[in-house]
Amino acid sequence: FESNSLTSVRIGNNVTSIGIKAFKNNKITTLSLGNKVEIIKGGAFYNNNISNLVLPNSLKTISAAASENYMNSGAFAFNNIETIVFGNNLESIGGGAFSQNQLKELILPDSLKTIGSGGKYTYGAFYDNEITKVVFGNSIESIGAEAFYANPIIEVDLSKATKLNSIGVKSFYNNKITSLMLNGTNLNI
């Protein structure tokens, strides 16, 4: 359904995976994801008009599309997303997933273990938003390179992140951080 004029998409309760570029380049403003979706692949909802996003509890992975054929096409990149309600089983957010949106504040779920890197073919997971505050859950293990690059972040709360062992290069580069709460035990920064 790539490059059509869809404005509303409802994914039924029997769908478990949404593929690469499945709904890329549409005009989607309303998105309803069924309660069995476990994976959303890179570019799936890239370049639409989604402003509010509710992710189901079944969702475990939002993957990156990191190859030259899918350059910079994060799953929900280039939308107008201001708010996200994360499901309570999300474990991984891939590079570029929510880059270039309008996110203001993030409260990441306790289930989240990894946040993907930016790199040769993709931006960091939350690159270039309007995020001012990020609160991490207690399962986060790795924050990839450039993950929060180019945001006006003031506050980063990693106080519950006792499993955190890696924060990648430029993860919080070009921000305005004045408050950092950190509690990692074997952390490599």
Side-chain angles (χ1 to χ4, degrees), residues 70-166:
Y70 305 110
M71 191 169 191
N72 296 328
S73 56
F76 291 96
F78 286 99
N79 274 275
N80 298 310
I81 300 172
E82 294 181 10
T83 61
I84 302 173
V85 176
F86 292 98
N88 59 18
N89 288 305
L90 184 63
E91 295 179 358
S92 177
I93 296 175
F98 295 101
S99 64
Q100 296 176 304
N101 277 285
Q102 307 298 316
L103 290 165
K104 310 277 191 266
E105 183 174 304
L106 283 179
I107 299 175
L108 299 167
D110 282 337
S111 58
L112 187 63
K113 295 178 182 178
T114 61
I115 297 175
S117 297
K120 184 175 180 180
Y121 299 116
T122 191
Y123 293 123
F126 294 97
Y127 167 81
D128 193 21
N129 275 272
E130 296 177 9
I131 302 167
T132 58
K133 180 179 181 180
V134 184
V135 178
F136 292 84
N138 59 21
S139 294
I140 192 74
E141 297 171 2
S142 174
I143 300 170
E146 301 178 4
F148 294 93
Y149 188 111
N151 279 280
I153 296 173
I154 296 168
E155 182 178 344
V156 177
D157 184 349
L158 288 156
S159 61
K160 292 180 7 181
T162 57
K163 296 177 184 175
L164 182 63
N165 59 43
S166 175

Side-chain angles (χ1 to χ4, degrees), residues 165-179:
N165 59 43
S166 175
I167 298 176
V169 171
K170 295 185 178 179
S171 290
F172 293 95
Y173 183 77
N174 198 19
N175 280 275
K176 300 176 181 180
I177 299 170
T178 59
S179 176

